[in-house]
DNA sequence: ACATTGACCTGGGAGC
DNA sequence: TGCTCCCAGGTCAATG
């Protein structure tokens, strides 16, 4: 569900509310989310601990304390809402964290996830700092951190990959943060067909693609993320980037560049949207 | 090592 | 209205 821009938005919101605050309580309402909640481990890492920083790695948010970090992944339908109220007013609220801000004010972090594909987990200090936790250790590069070197990384990693370029972009061991929406959007902007094999993309095409990935993600962050269905930021508000999408869920509608009808294909079990006329 | 598929869940929309 | 079927911003284990 949320891809890099959405998680980045979330991190900014949680950082604003939680930096310097202290975890004072946690209540678990449901333990059997994707991985059974490690209540003991979570409590050990956060309770009575001050929040030192809030960071993002790929689609994971990490809320750090002196003892380690609380890891959050929203899966497809998760929300993480900063609320003034502890009352569980939303269906599928699985965990509520109570924090006390520096001002003494209490805030409540609600983890809500209907489909339960998300994750809430503890990481030790070492696992959090060296990113060696099981969920973090195999993640590929951060597109926005690599900048102008991104194309070279993608180029090198793809030389022997006979999978489609779109599927390759969504491989989190290569590159993090690009999911189903932004993979389609970046390829449209770069005028590259999602159906082509990764190894067949030449250097100049990969430069174009890398540049468009960075632009696509950055613009989506600036627009507050993309809300198709479930995504909400930490204030429980939708983003506005869905209004700017060129191809995602626009099949049969005219291409914004050449007016040919946008097509839909299925790759690795996921829908891909593209213009067969101007993406080559 | 790499590619593909199915499994994990609930909710909403389309079609009958 | 109500039913069934299909689809959805992601990962990961299992299989070839």
């Amino acid at each position: 569900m949320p891809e890099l821009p959405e998680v980045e938005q979330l991190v900014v919101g949680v950082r604003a509310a939680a930096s310097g605050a202290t975890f004072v309580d946690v209540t678990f309402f449901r333990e059997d989310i994707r991985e059974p909640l490690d209540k003991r481990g979570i409590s050990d890492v956060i309770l009575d601990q001050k929040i030192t920083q809030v960071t993002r790695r790929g689609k994971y948010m990490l809320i750090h304390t002196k003892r380690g970090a609380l890891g959050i992944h929203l899966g497809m339908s998760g929300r993480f809402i900063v609320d003034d109220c502890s009352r569980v007013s939303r269906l599928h609220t699985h965990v509520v964290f109570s924090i006390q801000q520096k001002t003494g004010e209490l805030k409540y972090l609600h983890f809500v996830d209907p489909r339960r594909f998300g994750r809430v987990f503890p990481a030790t200090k070492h696992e959090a700092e060296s990113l060696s936790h099981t969920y973090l250790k195999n993640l590929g590069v951060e597109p926005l951190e690599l900048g102008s070197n991104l194309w070279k990384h993608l180029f090198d990693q793809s030389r022997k990959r006979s999978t489609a370029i779109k599927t390759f972009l969504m491989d989190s061991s290569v590159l993090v943060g690009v999911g189903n929406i932004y993979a389609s959007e970046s390829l449209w902007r770069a005028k590259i067909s999602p159906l082509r094999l990764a190894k067949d993309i030449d250097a100049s095409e990969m430069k174009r693609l890398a540049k468009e990935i960075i632009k696509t993600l950055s613009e989506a962050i600036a627009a507050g993320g993309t809300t198709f269905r479930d995504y909400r930021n930490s204030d429980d508000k939708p983003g506005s980037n869905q209004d700017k999408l060129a191809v995602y869920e626009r099949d049969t509608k005219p291409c914004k560049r050449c007016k040919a009808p946008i097509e839909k294909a299925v790759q690795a079990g996921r829908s891909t949207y593209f213009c067969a006329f101007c993406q080559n």
Side-chain angles (χ1 to χ4, degrees), chain A residues 27-233:
Chain A
T27 310
F28 301 96
F29 296 95
R30 176 154 199 168
E31 300 168 40
D32 58 329
I33 59 171
R34 180 168 185 187
E35 249 101 68
L37 287 175
D38 177 1
K39 298 198 287 186
R40 178 70 189 281
I42 291 169
S43 300
D44 285 349
V45 163
I46 64 166
L47 282 188
D48 302 317
Q49 297 297 309
K50 193 168 152 183
I51 294 165
T52 53
Q53 55 173 346
V54 183
T55 60
R56 179 187 60 72
R57 174 72 176 108
K59 296 171 188 166
Y60 289 90
M61 172 168 64
L62 297 172
I63 303 177
H64 300 255
T65 69
K66 266 205 323 269
R67 294 205 173 163
L70 174 68
I72 305 284
H73 192 294
L74 299 182
M76 292 280 262
S77 59
R79 300 181 190 184
F80 196 81
I81 298 151
V82 179
D83 203 321
D84 290 335
C85 183
S86 66
R87 193 173 141 257
V88 174
S89 53
R90 299 167 191 86
L91 212 52
H92 308 294
T93 301
H94 307 315
V95 191
V96 175
F97 302 91
S98 310
I99 60 171
Q100 183 164 36
Q101 296 176 317
K102 283 177 287 192
T103 57
E105 199 175 344
L106 290 170
K107 295 279 181 183
Y108 303 90
L109 312 176
H110 294 241
F111 177 75
V112 183
D113 185 8
R115 293 178 71 181
R116 289 185 272 140
F117 285 0
R119 293 194 156 116
V120 177
F121 61 94
T124 64
K125 189 165 178 59
H126 175 256
E127 286 170 340
E129 285 176 358
S130 63
L131 299 172
S132 61
H133 186 279
T134 315
Y135 298 150
L136 310 172
K137 66 181 180 193
N138 294 322
L139 295 177
V141 301
E142 287 286 342
L144 300 183
E145 284 177 19
L146 231 55
S148 58
N149 295 319
L150 178 60
W151 81 269
K152 182 67 173 143
H153 173 76
L154 295 178
F155 186 73
D156 292 344
Q157 294 281 303
S158 60
R159 290 311 81 192
K160 292 182 176 171
R161 297 292 299 269
S162 57
T163 195
I165 181 65
K166 191 255 189 171
T167 308
F168 174 76
L169 291 183
M170 290 176 66
D171 181 343
S172 65
S173 67
V174 173
L175 172 70
V176 295
V178 176
N180 211 32
I181 292 181
Y182 300 117
S184 280
E185 293 295 317
S186 303
L187 285 160
W188 179 82
R189 287 169 172 234
K191 301 188 189 180
I192 294 169
S193 167
L195 309 177
R196 286 178 53 198
L197 301 187
K199 64 182 178 184
D200 293 340
I201 305 298
D202 71 28
S204 75
E205 290 173 319
M206 201 63 95
K207 280 183 190 169
R208 223 162 66 215
L209 180 54
K211 210 169 164 179
E212 295 301 340
I213 289 169
I214 291 167
K215 273 176 64 183
T216 303
L217 296 176
S218 305
E219 290 173 22
I221 292 171
T226 301
T227 299
F228 251 93
R229 299 170 185 85
D230 301 303
Y231 173 71
R232 298 293 184 280
N233 67 13

Side-chain angles (χ1 to χ4, degrees), chain A residues 188-189 191 246-247 250 252-263 274-280:
Chain A
W188 179 82
R189 287 169 172 234
K191 301 188 189 180
V247 286
R250 288 196 68 248
T252 74
K253 299 208 171 90
C255 172
K256 293 187 174 182
R257 214 163 28 214
C258 76
K259 311 292 181 226
I262 297 300
E263 295 185 23
F274 66 108
C275 175
F277 190 78
C278 66
Q279 285 177 258
N280 300 295

